[in-house]
Amino acid sequence: MYSDSSGRPSNIIGPAGKPLTLDDLPPPSTRRWVIRRKAEVVTAVRAGLLTLEEACERYNLSVEEFLSWQSLIDKHGMRGLRTTRLQQYRRVAGRSSPPEKSDDSHSGS
């Protein structure tokens, strides 16, 4: 891994185990985010190839969307980036909170 004049790496090892440069990243016009593309962007930010701000600006992403990709990779691996999986994980996560009480008449007064 070599650094350019800014001190950033010029290439990193991507999620597939192959070298990845800025030129190898998905194009800024990307609209269809498959698992591999999301993982490449997350890996690029984590390794310093891009900053979070640069990635969000380049791909028109919100910080929350990028952080959700990162969190899904951390919790579920690359397979967690599937949209169908994302929907399933959100449903499961929603069930983990305790149900709210709808009747306070049994509060012991």
Side-chain angles (χ1 to χ4, degrees):
M1 176 170 26
Y2 300 100
S3 295
D4 63 13
S5 61
S6 70
R8 291 187 189 183
S10 59
N11 68 59
I12 60 171
I13 301 301
K18 297 179 181 175
L20 190 64
T21 67
L22 282 174
D23 291 336
D24 299 320
L25 291 175
S29 60
T30 298
R31 295 290 172 250
R32 187 167 178 267
W33 285 100
V34 295
I35 294 170
R36 176 186 50 81
R37 291 178 183 153
K38 292 177 186 179
E40 286 173 346
V41 173
V42 169
T43 301
V45 170
R46 285 183 167 171
L49 198 56
L50 284 174
T51 66
L52 172 61
E53 294 78 18
E54 289 169 337
C56 290
E57 184 176 327
R58 179 177 174 143
Y59 296 112
N60 197 27
L61 301 171
S62 68
V63 172
E64 292 78 17
E65 185 171 14
F66 176 86
L67 293 176
S68 74
W69 293 355
Q70 189 170 266
S71 176
L72 286 166
I73 290 173
D74 291 344
K75 291 178 185 173
H76 307 286
M78 283 180 49
R79 295 188 70 192
L81 293 172
R82 286 181 157 183
T83 39
T84 53
R85 292 280 179 235
L86 177 60
Q87 292 162 356
Q88 291 172 359
Y89 296 141
R90 284 184 178 162
R91 278 196 301 262
V92 169
R95 286 189 212 140
S96 63
S97 59
E100 293 186 21
K101 293 183 181 181
S102 59
D103 183 7
D104 288 334
S105 63
H106 300 290
S107 60
S109 23

mmCIF file of all heavy atoms in Angstrom, residues 22-63:
data_model
loop_
_atom_site.group_PDB
_atom_site.id
_atom_site.type_symbol
_atom_site.label_atom_id
_atom_site.label_comp_id
_atom_site.label_asym_id
_atom_site.label_seq_id
_atom_site.Cartn_x
_atom_site.Cartn_y
_atom_site.Cartn_z
ATOM 1 N N LEU A 22 -9.098 4.245 -5.925
ATOM 2 C CA LEU A 22 -10.230 5.144 -6.182
ATOM 3 C C LEU A 22 -10.880 4.848 -7.528
ATOM 4 O O LEU A 22 -12.101 4.914 -7.665
ATOM 5 C CB LEU A 22 -9.777 6.606 -6.137
ATOM 6 C CG LEU A 22 -9.581 7.213 -4.759
ATOM 7 C CD1 LEU A 22 -9.003 8.619 -4.875
ATOM 8 C CD2 LEU A 22 -10.885 7.239 -3.980
ATOM 9 N N ASP A 23 -10.054 4.513 -8.521
ATOM 10 C CA ASP A 23 -10.586 4.205 -9.855
ATOM 11 C C ASP A 23 -11.412 2.921 -9.873
ATOM 12 O O ASP A 23 -12.240 2.732 -10.763
ATOM 13 C CB ASP A 23 -9.456 4.097 -10.880
ATOM 14 C CG ASP A 23 -8.792 5.432 -11.162
ATOM 15 O OD1 ASP A 23 -9.438 6.487 -10.950
ATOM 16 O OD2 ASP A 23 -7.618 5.428 -11.576
ATOM 17 N N ASP A 24 -11.177 2.030 -8.914
ATOM 18 C CA ASP A 24 -11.908 0.762 -8.855
ATOM 19 C C ASP A 24 -13.247 0.886 -8.131
ATOM 20 O O ASP A 24 -14.079 -0.020 -8.208
ATOM 21 C CB ASP A 24 -11.083 -0.303 -8.136
ATOM 22 C CG ASP A 24 -9.777 -0.595 -8.846
ATOM 23 O OD1 ASP A 24 -9.782 -0.643 -10.093
ATOM 24 O OD2 ASP A 24 -8.762 -0.758 -8.152
ATOM 25 N N LEU A 25 -13.431 1.990 -7.411
ATOM 26 C CA LEU A 25 -14.675 2.179 -6.667
ATOM 27 C C LEU A 25 -15.841 2.367 -7.626
ATOM 28 O O LEU A 25 -15.649 2.748 -8.785
ATOM 29 C CB LEU A 25 -14.562 3.391 -5.745
ATOM 30 C CG LEU A 25 -13.614 3.241 -4.569
ATOM 31 C CD1 LEU A 25 -13.521 4.568 -3.804
ATOM 32 C CD2 LEU A 25 -14.062 2.135 -3.639
ATOM 33 N N PRO A 26 -17.053 2.137 -7.152
ATOM 34 C CA PRO A 26 -18.215 2.362 -8.023
ATOM 35 C C PRO A 26 -18.219 3.805 -8.539
ATOM 36 O O PRO A 26 -17.759 4.716 -7.848
ATOM 37 C CB PRO A 26 -19.415 2.129 -7.096
ATOM 38 C CG PRO A 26 -18.890 1.300 -5.970
ATOM 39 C CD PRO A 26 -17.442 1.674 -5.820
ATOM 40 N N PRO A 27 -18.732 4.018 -9.754
ATOM 41 C CA PRO A 27 -18.773 5.384 -10.276
ATOM 42 C C PRO A 27 -19.721 6.261 -9.446
ATOM 43 O O PRO A 27 -20.686 5.760 -8.864
ATOM 44 C CB PRO A 27 -19.293 5.210 -11.707
ATOM 45 C CG PRO A 27 -19.923 3.869 -11.751
ATOM 46 C CD PRO A 27 -19.278 3.033 -10.687
ATOM 47 N N PRO A 28 -19.453 7.561 -9.399
ATOM 48 C CA PRO A 28 -20.314 8.465 -8.629
ATOM 49 C C PRO A 28 -21.777 8.447 -9.078
ATOM 50 O O PRO A 28 -22.670 8.768 -8.294
ATOM 51 C CB PRO A 28 -19.690 9.847 -8.871
ATOM 52 C CG PRO A 28 -18.259 9.557 -9.157
ATOM 53 C CD PRO A 28 -18.269 8.254 -9.908
ATOM 54 N N SER A 29 -22.033 8.041 -10.298
ATOM 55 C CA SER A 29 -23.405 7.996 -10.821
ATOM 56 C C SER A 29 -24.161 6.730 -10.408
ATOM 57 O O SER A 29 -25.301 6.534 -10.834
ATOM 58 C CB SER A 29 -23.375 8.092 -12.346
ATOM 59 O OG SER A 29 -22.639 6.993 -12.881
ATOM 60 N N THR A 30 -23.565 5.891 -9.585
ATOM 61 C CA THR A 30 -24.182 4.620 -9.193
ATOM 62 C C THR A 30 -25.556 4.846 -8.576
ATOM 63 O O THR A 30 -25.722 5.671 -7.681
ATOM 64 C CB THR A 30 -23.277 3.860 -8.198
ATOM 65 O OG1 THR A 30 -22.053 3.572 -8.850
ATOM 66 C CG2 THR A 30 -23.921 2.568 -7.730
ATOM 67 N N ARG A 31 -26.541 4.097 -9.052
ATOM 68 C CA ARG A 31 -27.898 4.153 -8.505
ATOM 69 C C ARG A 31 -28.341 2.792 -7.983
ATOM 70 O O ARG A 31 -29.215 2.700 -7.147
ATOM 71 C CB ARG A 31 -28.898 4.630 -9.567
ATOM 72 C CG ARG A 31 -28.655 6.042 -10.021
ATOM 73 C CD ARG A 31 -28.999 7.042 -8.930
ATOM 74 N NE ARG A 31 -28.601 8.390 -9.294
ATOM 75 C CZ ARG A 31 -27.605 9.050 -8.706
ATOM 76 N NH1 ARG A 31 -26.913 8.515 -7.758
ATOM 77 N NH2 ARG A 31 -27.310 10.267 -9.087
ATOM 78 N N ARG A 32 -27.733 1.735 -8.509
ATOM 79 C CA ARG A 32 -28.080 0.376 -8.085
ATOM 80 C C ARG A 32 -26.986 -0.125 -7.150
ATOM 81 O O ARG A 32 -25.874 -0.425 -7.582
ATOM 82 C CB ARG A 32 -28.203 -0.532 -9.308
ATOM 83 C CG ARG A 32 -28.714 -1.898 -8.957
ATOM 84 C CD ARG A 32 -29.131 -2.656 -10.205
ATOM 85 N NE ARG A 32 -29.568 -3.977 -9.837
ATOM 86 C CZ ARG A 32 -28.782 -5.044 -9.818
ATOM 87 N NH1 ARG A 32 -27.525 -4.949 -10.182
ATOM 88 N NH2 ARG A 32 -29.266 -6.215 -9.457
ATOM 89 N N TRP A 33 -27.320 -0.193 -5.864
ATOM 90 C CA TRP A 33 -26.323 -0.530 -4.847
ATOM 91 C C TRP A 33 -26.381 -2.005 -4.489
ATOM 92 O O TRP A 33 -27.099 -2.405 -3.591
ATOM 93 C CB TRP A 33 -26.533 0.347 -3.606
ATOM 94 C CG TRP A 33 -26.047 1.727 -3.851
ATOM 95 C CD1 TRP A 33 -26.792 2.814 -4.166
ATOM 96 C CD2 TRP A 33 -24.687 2.155 -3.841
ATOM 97 N NE1 TRP A 33 -25.979 3.900 -4.357
ATOM 98 C CE2 TRP A 33 -24.684 3.523 -4.156
ATOM 99 C CE3 TRP A 33 -23.472 1.514 -3.606
ATOM 100 C CZ2 TRP A 33 -23.508 4.261 -4.232
ATOM 101 C CZ3 TRP A 33 -22.314 2.259 -3.680
ATOM 102 C CH2 TRP A 33 -22.339 3.613 -3.990
ATOM 103 N N VAL A 34 -25.593 -2.794 -5.185
ATOM 104 C CA VAL A 34 -25.490 -4.216 -4.866
ATOM 105 C C VAL A 34 -24.535 -4.371 -3.677
ATOM 106 O O VAL A 34 -23.803 -3.438 -3.321
ATOM 107 C CB VAL A 34 -24.997 -5.034 -6.090
ATOM 108 C CG1 VAL A 34 -26.022 -4.972 -7.214
ATOM 109 C CG2 VAL A 34 -23.641 -4.569 -6.565
ATOM 110 N N ILE A 35 -24.546 -5.540 -3.071
ATOM 111 C CA ILE A 35 -23.739 -5.805 -1.882
ATOM 112 C C ILE A 35 -22.273 -5.427 -2.086
ATOM 113 O O ILE A 35 -21.673 -4.755 -1.262
ATOM 114 C CB ILE A 35 -23.845 -7.291 -1.483
ATOM 115 C CG1 ILE A 35 -25.256 -7.622 -1.034
ATOM 116 C CG2 ILE A 35 -22.834 -7.651 -0.403
ATOM 117 C CD1 ILE A 35 -25.506 -9.115 -0.863
ATOM 118 N N ARG A 36 -21.691 -5.867 -3.186
ATOM 119 C CA ARG A 36 -20.267 -5.634 -3.443
ATOM 120 C C ARG A 36 -19.939 -4.147 -3.461
ATOM 121 O O ARG A 36 -18.939 -3.711 -2.881
ATOM 122 C CB ARG A 36 -19.864 -6.281 -4.773
ATOM 123 C CG ARG A 36 -18.418 -6.016 -5.176
ATOM 124 C CD ARG A 36 -18.100 -6.545 -6.586
ATOM 125 N NE ARG A 36 -19.048 -6.136 -7.599
ATOM 126 C CZ ARG A 36 -19.042 -4.942 -8.206
ATOM 127 N NH1 ARG A 36 -18.137 -4.041 -7.878
ATOM 128 N NH2 ARG A 36 -19.942 -4.653 -9.132
ATOM 129 N N ARG A 37 -20.763 -3.344 -4.112
ATOM 130 C CA ARG A 37 -20.494 -1.907 -4.206
ATOM 131 C C ARG A 37 -20.564 -1.236 -2.834
ATOM 132 O O ARG A 37 -19.734 -0.397 -2.496
ATOM 133 C CB ARG A 37 -21.481 -1.247 -5.161
ATOM 134 C CG ARG A 37 -21.265 -1.649 -6.601
ATOM 135 C CD ARG A 37 -22.289 -1.007 -7.493
ATOM 136 N NE ARG A 37 -22.112 -1.448 -8.872
ATOM 137 C CZ ARG A 37 -23.082 -1.488 -9.757
ATOM 138 N NH1 ARG A 37 -24.300 -1.104 -9.432
ATOM 139 N NH2 ARG A 37 -22.845 -1.897 -10.969
ATOM 140 N N LYS A 38 -21.565 -1.587 -2.052
ATOM 141 C CA LYS A 38 -21.681 -1.023 -0.698
ATOM 142 C C LYS A 38 -20.453 -1.390 0.126
ATOM 143 O O LYS A 38 -19.871 -0.551 0.812
ATOM 144 C CB LYS A 38 -22.937 -1.557 -0.003
ATOM 145 C CG LYS A 38 -24.235 -1.073 -0.609
ATOM 146 C CD LYS A 38 -25.403 -1.734 0.107
ATOM 147 C CE LYS A 38 -26.718 -1.421 -0.527
ATOM 148 N NZ LYS A 38 -27.838 -2.086 0.178
ATOM 149 N N ALA A 39 -20.065 -2.653 0.050
ATOM 150 C CA ALA A 39 -18.916 -3.130 0.830
ATOM 151 C C ALA A 39 -17.630 -2.440 0.387
ATOM 152 O O ALA A 39 -16.775 -2.124 1.221
ATOM 153 C CB ALA A 39 -18.785 -4.644 0.696
ATOM 154 N N GLU A 40 -17.478 -2.182 -0.911
ATOM 155 C CA GLU A 40 -16.275 -1.492 -1.388
ATOM 156 C C GLU A 40 -16.201 -0.069 -0.831
ATOM 157 O O GLU A 40 -15.132 0.383 -0.415
ATOM 158 C CB GLU A 40 -16.264 -1.456 -2.918
ATOM 159 C CG GLU A 40 -15.942 -2.787 -3.549
ATOM 160 C CD GLU A 40 -16.092 -2.797 -5.055
ATOM 161 O OE1 GLU A 40 -16.685 -1.865 -5.633
ATOM 162 O OE2 GLU A 40 -15.599 -3.764 -5.670
ATOM 163 N N VAL A 41 -17.320 0.623 -0.811
ATOM 164 C CA VAL A 41 -17.326 1.997 -0.297
ATOM 165 C C VAL A 41 -17.031 2.008 1.200
ATOM 166 O O VAL A 41 -16.229 2.810 1.691
ATOM 167 C CB VAL A 41 -18.654 2.712 -0.633
ATOM 168 C CG1 VAL A 41 -18.730 4.070 0.042
ATOM 169 C CG2 VAL A 41 -18.813 2.860 -2.146
ATOM 170 N N VAL A 42 -17.654 1.098 1.951
ATOM 171 C CA VAL A 42 -17.393 1.023 3.395
ATOM 172 C C VAL A 42 -15.916 0.711 3.641
ATOM 173 O O VAL A 42 -15.264 1.349 4.474
ATOM 174 C CB VAL A 42 -18.302 -0.022 4.080
ATOM 175 C CG1 VAL A 42 -17.864 -0.289 5.512
ATOM 176 C CG2 VAL A 42 -19.762 0.447 4.054
ATOM 177 N N THR A 43 -15.366 -0.238 2.913
ATOM 178 C CA THR A 43 -13.957 -0.604 3.063
ATOM 179 C C THR A 43 -13.052 0.570 2.724
ATOM 180 O O THR A 43 -12.063 0.829 3.422
ATOM 181 C CB THR A 43 -13.619 -1.813 2.171
ATOM 182 O OG1 THR A 43 -14.463 -2.911 2.545
ATOM 183 C CG2 THR A 43 -12.173 -2.231 2.307
ATOM 184 N N ALA A 44 -13.394 1.307 1.669
ATOM 185 C CA ALA A 44 -12.581 2.455 1.262
ATOM 186 C C ALA A 44 -12.549 3.525 2.358
ATOM 187 O O ALA A 44 -11.493 4.095 2.638
ATOM 188 C CB ALA A 44 -13.119 3.048 -0.043
ATOM 189 N N VAL A 45 -13.678 3.764 2.986
ATOM 190 C CA VAL A 45 -13.722 4.762 4.061
ATOM 191 C C VAL A 45 -12.944 4.265 5.274
ATOM 192 O O VAL A 45 -12.141 4.987 5.855
ATOM 193 C CB VAL A 45 -15.181 5.124 4.427
ATOM 194 C CG1 VAL A 45 -15.240 5.972 5.691
ATOM 195 C CG2 VAL A 45 -15.858 5.849 3.263
ATOM 196 N N ARG A 46 -13.153 3.019 5.646
ATOM 197 C CA ARG A 46 -12.459 2.474 6.818
ATOM 198 C C ARG A 46 -10.945 2.477 6.642
ATOM 199 O O ARG A 46 -10.211 2.689 7.600
ATOM 200 C CB ARG A 46 -12.945 1.052 7.096
ATOM 201 C CG ARG A 46 -14.307 1.023 7.717
ATOM 202 C CD ARG A 46 -14.715 -0.372 8.042
ATOM 203 N NE ARG A 46 -15.884 -0.363 8.916
ATOM 204 C CZ ARG A 46 -16.573 -1.434 9.230
ATOM 205 N NH1 ARG A 46 -16.222 -2.619 8.777
ATOM 206 N NH2 ARG A 46 -17.622 -1.329 10.033
ATOM 207 N N ALA A 47 -10.479 2.253 5.420
ATOM 208 C CA ALA A 47 -9.037 2.166 5.174
ATOM 209 C C ALA A 47 -8.412 3.518 4.832
ATOM 210 O O ALA A 47 -7.209 3.613 4.655
ATOM 211 C CB ALA A 47 -8.763 1.174 4.045
ATOM 212 N N GLY A 48 -9.233 4.567 4.737
ATOM 213 C CA GLY A 48 -8.699 5.892 4.491
ATOM 214 C C GLY A 48 -8.553 6.284 3.033
ATOM 215 O O GLY A 48 -7.972 7.322 2.726
ATOM 216 N N LEU A 49 -9.069 5.469 2.128
ATOM 217 C CA LEU A 49 -9.013 5.812 0.712
ATOM 218 C C LEU A 49 -9.917 7.021 0.425
ATOM 219 O O LEU A 49 -9.608 7.854 -0.409
ATOM 220 C CB LEU A 49 -9.450 4.598 -0.122
ATOM 221 C CG LEU A 49 -9.094 4.545 -1.586
ATOM 222 C CD1 LEU A 49 -7.601 4.678 -1.821
ATOM 223 C CD2 LEU A 49 -9.608 3.248 -2.200
ATOM 224 N N LEU A 50 -11.045 7.091 1.138
ATOM 225 C CA LEU A 50 -11.994 8.205 1.083
ATOM 226 C C LEU A 50 -12.365 8.570 2.513
ATOM 227 O O LEU A 50 -12.355 7.701 3.387
ATOM 228 C CB LEU A 50 -13.316 7.767 0.431
ATOM 229 C CG LEU A 50 -13.464 7.570 -1.044
ATOM 230 C CD1 LEU A 50 -14.839 6.998 -1.360
ATOM 231 C CD2 LEU A 50 -13.295 8.875 -1.775
ATOM 232 N N THR A 51 -12.745 9.816 2.737
ATOM 233 C CA THR A 51 -13.306 10.159 4.045
ATOM 234 C C THR A 51 -14.806 9.884 4.001
ATOM 235 O O THR A 51 -15.389 9.734 2.908
ATOM 236 C CB THR A 51 -13.095 11.651 4.383
ATOM 237 O OG1 THR A 51 -13.851 12.452 3.461
ATOM 238 C CG2 THR A 51 -11.628 12.034 4.355
ATOM 239 N N LEU A 52 -15.424 9.837 5.147
ATOM 240 C CA LEU A 52 -16.870 9.648 5.212
ATOM 241 C C LEU A 52 -17.569 10.755 4.428
ATOM 242 O O LEU A 52 -18.480 10.497 3.631
ATOM 243 C CB LEU A 52 -17.336 9.640 6.675
ATOM 244 C CG LEU A 52 -18.842 9.643 6.913
ATOM 245 C CD1 LEU A 52 -19.495 8.413 6.326
ATOM 246 C CD2 LEU A 52 -19.126 9.733 8.405
ATOM 247 N N GLU A 53 -17.131 11.983 4.627
ATOM 248 C CA GLU A 53 -17.741 13.120 3.932
ATOM 249 C C GLU A 53 -17.586 12.999 2.415
ATOM 250 O O GLU A 53 -18.523 13.276 1.664
ATOM 251 C CB GLU A 53 -17.124 14.436 4.424
ATOM 252 C CG GLU A 53 -17.432 14.760 5.868
ATOM 253 C CD GLU A 53 -16.579 13.978 6.878
ATOM 254 O OE1 GLU A 53 -15.506 13.412 6.500
ATOM 255 O OE2 GLU A 53 -16.987 13.899 8.041
ATOM 256 N N GLU A 54 -16.405 12.590 1.970
ATOM 257 C CA GLU A 54 -16.173 12.425 0.533
ATOM 258 C C GLU A 54 -17.067 11.333 -0.046
ATOM 259 O O GLU A 54 -17.623 11.495 -1.134
ATOM 260 C CB GLU A 54 -14.707 12.091 0.262
ATOM 261 C CG GLU A 54 -13.761 13.246 0.489
ATOM 262 C CD GLU A 54 -12.300 12.827 0.484
ATOM 263 O OE1 GLU A 54 -11.986 11.644 0.726
ATOM 264 O OE2 GLU A 54 -11.466 13.720 0.240
ATOM 265 N N ALA A 55 -17.200 10.239 0.667
ATOM 266 C CA ALA A 55 -18.036 9.138 0.182
ATOM 267 C C ALA A 55 -19.493 9.579 0.087
ATOM 268 O O ALA A 55 -20.171 9.301 -0.914
ATOM 269 C CB ALA A 55 -17.905 7.927 1.102
ATOM 270 N N CYS A 56 -19.974 10.272 1.114
ATOM 271 C CA CYS A 56 -21.372 10.718 1.108
ATOM 272 C C CYS A 56 -21.620 11.718 -0.019
ATOM 273 O O CYS A 56 -22.648 11.647 -0.699
ATOM 274 C CB CYS A 56 -21.755 11.314 2.461
ATOM 275 S SG CYS A 56 -21.868 10.070 3.758
ATOM 276 N N GLU A 57 -20.678 12.615 -0.223
ATOM 277 C CA GLU A 57 -20.827 13.600 -1.300
ATOM 278 C C GLU A 57 -20.724 12.926 -2.675
ATOM 279 O O GLU A 57 -21.540 13.168 -3.556
ATOM 280 C CB GLU A 57 -19.754 14.677 -1.173
ATOM 281 C CG GLU A 57 -19.910 15.781 -2.192
ATOM 282 C CD GLU A 57 -18.903 16.903 -1.993
ATOM 283 O OE1 GLU A 57 -18.525 17.179 -0.849
ATOM 284 O OE2 GLU A 57 -18.497 17.490 -3.016
ATOM 285 N N ARG A 58 -19.734 12.070 -2.825
ATOM 286 C CA ARG A 58 -19.501 11.393 -4.119
ATOM 287 C C ARG A 58 -20.699 10.547 -4.542
ATOM 288 O O ARG A 58 -21.063 10.526 -5.712
ATOM 289 C CB ARG A 58 -18.248 10.521 -3.993
ATOM 290 C CG ARG A 58 -17.898 9.742 -5.230
ATOM 291 C CD ARG A 58 -16.614 8.966 -5.031
ATOM 292 N NE ARG A 58 -16.334 8.114 -6.155
ATOM 293 C CZ ARG A 58 -15.139 7.871 -6.645
ATOM 294 N NH1 ARG A 58 -14.088 8.424 -6.094
ATOM 295 N NH2 ARG A 58 -14.981 7.068 -7.667
ATOM 296 N N TYR A 59 -21.328 9.868 -3.575
ATOM 297 C CA TYR A 59 -22.408 8.940 -3.899
ATOM 298 C C TYR A 59 -23.793 9.446 -3.497
ATOM 299 O O TYR A 59 -24.761 8.700 -3.568
ATOM 300 C CB TYR A 59 -22.128 7.587 -3.241
ATOM 301 C CG TYR A 59 -20.871 6.966 -3.796
ATOM 302 C CD1 TYR A 59 -19.736 6.833 -3.004
ATOM 303 C CD2 TYR A 59 -20.805 6.541 -5.118
ATOM 304 C CE1 TYR A 59 -18.567 6.281 -3.519
ATOM 305 C CE2 TYR A 59 -19.647 5.989 -5.635
ATOM 306 C CZ TYR A 59 -18.533 5.868 -4.833
ATOM 307 O OH TYR A 59 -17.387 5.331 -5.353
ATOM 308 N N ASN A 60 -23.863 10.706 -3.067
ATOM 309 C CA ASN A 60 -25.132 11.299 -2.666
ATOM 310 C C ASN A 60 -25.830 10.446 -1.599
ATOM 311 O O ASN A 60 -27.020 10.129 -1.701
ATOM 312 C CB ASN A 60 -26.045 11.511 -3.887
ATOM 313 C CG ASN A 60 -27.174 12.465 -3.586
ATOM 314 O OD1 ASN A 60 -27.053 13.330 -2.727
ATOM 315 N ND2 ASN A 60 -28.281 12.297 -4.278
ATOM 316 N N LEU A 61 -25.064 10.077 -0.581
ATOM 317 C CA LEU A 61 -25.571 9.271 0.528
ATOM 318 C C LEU A 61 -25.715 10.152 1.761
ATOM 319 O O LEU A 61 -24.945 11.089 1.949
ATOM 320 C CB LEU A 61 -24.581 8.157 0.884
ATOM 321 C CG LEU A 61 -24.203 7.159 -0.189
ATOM 322 C CD1 LEU A 61 -23.044 6.292 0.307
ATOM 323 C CD2 LEU A 61 -25.403 6.306 -0.535
ATOM 324 N N SER A 62 -26.655 9.815 2.618
ATOM 325 C CA SER A 62 -26.697 10.473 3.915
ATOM 326 C C SER A 62 -25.693 9.762 4.823
ATOM 327 O O SER A 62 -25.343 8.599 4.591
ATOM 328 C CB SER A 62 -28.098 10.397 4.522
ATOM 329 O OG SER A 62 -28.411 9.058 4.867
ATOM 330 N N VAL A 63 -25.228 10.463 5.835
ATOM 331 C CA VAL A 63 -24.316 9.841 6.798
ATOM 332 C C VAL A 63 -25.010 8.644 7.441
ATOM 333 O O VAL A 63 -24.396 7.588 7.639
ATOM 334 C CB VAL A 63 -23.871 10.872 7.863
ATOM 335 C CG1 VAL A 63 -23.098 10.203 8.975
ATOM 336 C CG2 VAL A 63 -23.038 11.966 7.216
#
